[in-house]
Amino acid sequence: MSLESLAASFKGAITDGPFGSNLARQHYRESGPRVVRLQNIGDGVFIDNPAHIDPEHFGSLRKHEVIPGDLLVASLGENLPRACLAPDGLGPAIVKADCIRVRLRDDVDPRWVNYSMQRPWVRKWAEQHRHGMGRPRLGLRGIRAIPVPLPPLPEQRKIVDVLEDHLSHLDAAGTDLARARTRLGALWAATLSEARRGLEVALPEVADIQGGIQKQPRRAPTMHHYPFLRVANVTASGLDLNNVHRIELFGDEIERLRLVRGDLLVVEGNGSPSQIGRAATWDGSIENCVHQNHLIRVRPRSGLLPEYLEAAWNAPEHRRKLLDVASSSSGLYTLSVSKLKRLTVPLPSLDEQRRVLEQVGELRDSVRRLERQSQRLDRELNRCAGLF
């Protein structure tokens, strides 16, 4: 059935918010009745980002009023039709322009309609019916026509109860996962702080630092093709070797540039703090592999475990030091071999390095188990949603 056919029978059960001078900047106040804006309508959830208007002006806009349980639909933006339910405790409120309020019939469970807005089939329908350049728009007419399946009310409630049970388990798993990641960060901070007591050493004292290939040399008969790693291969979660390019090198250059297992590959960065200094350890899975000039190779010497170097490198405290070294007066962030040589790293004993890695490894295993559990619940949730 169309969404319009599920609306209450009174005139204006589906309404857009006031446009233009009917709701302008001068009407907003620090407190008072709420205005529901596009940023309040999340994908299935209400986002509490308050805005208020004068109580007297609210009285003149009562036909746009929102009460708890109303369906709120965004008619503008990506991922249409984005929708949520007005929450309990919202208080007096109206919708703004481009926000559609739908007051539903008594024989329709608002939760059912809210979940129906998120069905993949409805998203595809919206893509075919939206219009406008830049920011897509569905408009009031399109929202009225959104197709919604309508089983009997008891069946609506039964399916929603099953779906929300799955959601609650998924939320609990997500909370546990976030808590475990926080513990992991705290454990790293504590163990590395303990390990670095009086043991900070200059990076060049414990590792060899070298840049990558500056440019592709000219072709010559004695040249050979070798695999080489680029910035795109060093991701936030480790090395991605699905797309490894090849480059031509002279035979004697491979001896100087060949990566060995345990080398830490550090991204020079493109001015972005999130990318600068990102690092991953080379696992030696590809023979005769080299690295490009936007990656810096840090090869630990004896007395510094490669796994410990990577872990210490990605610790929050080291990230702060690295950004300080990489910052410039222009506001951009860049790394170089000379800048890396100014860094220090904690160097506890080998036994202490192993202890730290073992301690954190146990927590990482717990995080991975929670991630697998979350993925299973997510698959089950998608299967359940497919029943719509």
Side-chain angles (χ1 to χ4, degrees):
M1 304 180 68
S2 68
L3 180 60
E4 183 176 27
S5 67
L6 305 184
S9 58
F10 67 89
K11 184 179 179 180
I14 299 182
T15 183
D16 201 346
F19 282 86
S21 60
N22 291 322
L23 183 60
R25 180 177 299 178
Q26 65 266 24
H27 297 126
Y28 284 86
R29 299 290 185 269
E30 291 295 324
S31 61
R34 295 279 296 269
V35 178
V36 175
R37 302 168 294 167
L38 285 172
Q39 51 263 55
N40 296 121
I41 303 177
D43 200 5
V45 295
F46 184 87
I47 300 172
D48 193 17
N49 185 359
H52 306 273
I53 58 171
D54 181 86
E56 292 184 4
H57 192 61
F58 168 77
S60 67
L61 300 173
R62 295 299 288 261
K63 67 177 182 179
H64 307 287
E65 187 177 11
V66 176
I67 64 173
D70 280 348
L71 183 72
L72 305 170
V73 187
S75 68
L76 180 68
E78 299 293 336
N79 203 26
L80 298 174
R82 200 171 72 247
C84 67
L85 296 179
D88 294 335
L90 181 64
I94 60 168
V95 285
K96 193 177 181 293
D98 297 318
C99 301
I100 312 301
R101 183 219 68 201
V102 183
R103 187 78 45 80
L104 297 164
R105 295 175 354 203
D106 292 338
D107 62 340
V108 176
D109 190 323
R111 300 173 303 161
W112 168 267
V113 182
N114 185 33
Y115 286 126
S116 296
M117 296 294 102
Q118 302 169 55
R119 295 165 61 219
W121 191 89
V122 170
R123 296 286 162 81
K124 292 180 181 178
W125 182 92
E127 287 180 5
Q128 297 170 356
H129 291 80
R130 68 187 190 182
H131 57 274
M133 300 296 293
R135 298 183 71 186
R137 180 185 296 275
L138 195 54
L140 183 56
R141 179 182 298 179
I143 288 173
R144 289 177 181 273
I146 292 173
V148 180
L150 192 68
L153 182 59
E155 189 173 345
Q156 295 174 37
R157 290 171 174 164
K158 182 176 180 180
I159 295 177
V160 167
D161 287 343
V162 172
L163 189 57
E164 291 193 336
D165 181 64
H166 282 70
L167 281 170
S168 65
H169 284 85
L170 188 61
D171 288 343
T175 300
D176 290 344
L177 186 60
R179 187 181 298 116
R181 284 174 172 155
T182 300
R183 287 181 58 218
L184 178 62
L187 178 60
W188 264 122
T191 52
L192 291 176
S193 177
E194 178 185 355
R196 65 165 46 95
R197 291 177 185 171
L199 296 174
E200 289 280 342
V201 297
L203 185 60
E205 294 182 15
V206 292
D208 299 316
I209 307 169
Q210 181 176 319
I213 301 169
Q214 294 300 313
K215 62 180 180 179
Q216 188 167 343
R218 296 179 179 177
R219 293 178 177 273
T222 57
M223 296 179 71
H224 303 280
H225 284 90
Y226 294 99
F228 83 115
L229 300 183
R230 303 163 296 134
V231 170
N233 298 118
V234 181
T235 71
S237 56
L239 286 176
D240 180 0
L241 303 180
N242 290 320
N243 188 13
V244 176
H245 291 197
R246 301 182 73 85
I247 193 170
E248 289 184 317
L249 291 175
F250 290 103
D252 57 349
E253 285 188 300
I254 187 64
E255 298 304 321
R256 178 176 63 88
L257 296 169
R258 181 191 288 116
L259 295 172
V260 300
R261 188 178 183 277
D263 284 347
L264 186 71
L265 295 168
V266 181
V267 176
E268 288 186 0
N270 59 357
S272 168
S274 62
Q275 187 188 58
I276 201 81
R278 193 169 62 209
T281 300
W282 174 237
D283 59 6
S285 58
I286 302 176
E287 293 184 358
N288 295 323
C289 193
V290 298
H291 62 294
Q292 73 167 165
N293 60 313
H294 295 301
L295 292 174
I296 301 173
R297 186 190 74 195
V298 180
R299 180 171 293 169
R301 300 177 191 151
S302 60
L304 177 60
L305 298 176
E307 299 86 353
Y308 180 83
L309 174 61
E310 180 181 3
W313 193 275
N314 291 318
E317 186 171 334
H318 184 80
R319 286 287 305 165
R320 287 190 290 271
K321 291 195 304 182
L322 191 147
L323 289 175
D324 287 341
V325 168
S327 63
S328 65
S329 58
S330 64
L332 298 177
Y333 293 82
T334 58
L335 276 181
S336 62
V337 171
S338 60
K339 287 185 176 181
L340 284 192
K341 288 182 178 180
R342 290 155 47 189
L343 286 173
T344 61
V345 293
L347 187 67
S349 67
L350 286 172
D351 287 341
E352 180 68 9
Q353 293 177 43
R354 294 187 184 99
R355 185 190 69 80
V356 170
L357 289 171
E358 181 180 359
Q359 194 173 11
V360 176
E362 292 175 356
L363 191 52
R364 279 181 169 164
D365 289 342
S366 298
V367 170
R368 292 190 185 101
R369 285 195 297 271
L370 285 167
E371 286 176 337
R372 288 194 294 268
Q373 179 188 2
S374 179
Q375 290 167 1
R376 286 195 301 270
L377 285 167
D378 200 20
R379 288 193 297 268
E380 180 65 16
L381 177 63
N382 289 332
R383 186 194 68 81
C384 186
L387 297 175
F388 275 96

